[in-house]
Amino acid sequence: VGDVGGITDPSYTGQVLVFAYPMVGNYGVPPLQHDQSQGLPLHFESERAHTSAIIVSDYCAYPSHWRSTRTLGQWLREEGVPGLYGVDTRAVISRIREKGSMLCKILIEGTAAQEDDIPMLNSNNKNL
């Protein structure tokens, strides 16, 4: 299940998912296939991405798995999910362990938008 399993897990709806393992994307993304007897997705937790974004330490742009039909980046783009890499996820996860789940927003340095211009969206306030 791996990368796409967490991203398609409905329990992560509206959340930013921070991956602990050092490299993400090396398996790529398999095709969406369904179990013939139950009609459930075989390699996904659901039929679409549920996370708001993902953050990884290192991203593999060239997957190496026989089931892969596209890269994780291609699939995230199709699903409308932003992904960040090159982040010290160990530090982020340490902070989450100390403080617990917290709200966040992703801002792109050098853009015209200021931190206060973009509202904080709290998925806990939404009827998911």
Side-chain angles (χ1 to χ4, degrees):
V1 176
D3 310 337
V4 297
I7 297 167
T8 59
D9 188 333
S11 68
Y12 293 122
T13 297
Q15 298 181 36
V16 175
L17 188 59
V18 180
F19 284 89
Y21 29 98
M23 182 176 284
V24 174
N26 49 327
Y27 285 102
V29 178
L32 180 60
Q33 298 172 325
H34 293 82
D35 177 270
Q36 296 299 323
S37 63
Q38 297 181 10
L40 298 173
L42 285 175
H43 311 292
F44 300 78
E45 292 298 313
S46 68
E47 302 212 1
R48 67 175 185 86
H50 287 274
T51 58
S52 294
I54 68 164
I55 301 175
V56 302
S57 176
D58 195 13
Y59 169 69
C60 177
Y62 303 101
S64 177
H65 191 273
W66 66 274
R67 220 178 240 144
S68 174
T69 58
R70 57 203 153 168
T71 68
L72 181 62
Q74 290 168 327
W75 179 71
L76 288 172
R77 204 170 299 110
E78 291 168 12
E79 293 288 319
V81 176
L84 298 176
Y85 69 92
V87 176
D88 183 358
T89 55
R90 296 172 301 171
V92 174
I93 291 168
S94 291
R95 184 164 183 165
I96 293 170
R97 284 187 183 139
E98 290 171 14
K99 308 269 186 196
S101 294
M102 56 189 92
L103 298 176
C104 75
K105 57 183 165 181
I106 298 172
L107 301 172
I108 300 171
E109 189 175 23
T111 61
Q114 299 296 315
E115 185 174 343
D116 295 334
D117 294 342
I118 300 173
M120 183 72 77
L121 300 176
N122 186 345
S123 62
N124 295 322
N125 295 333
K126 294 170 84 176
N127 183 2
L128 303 174

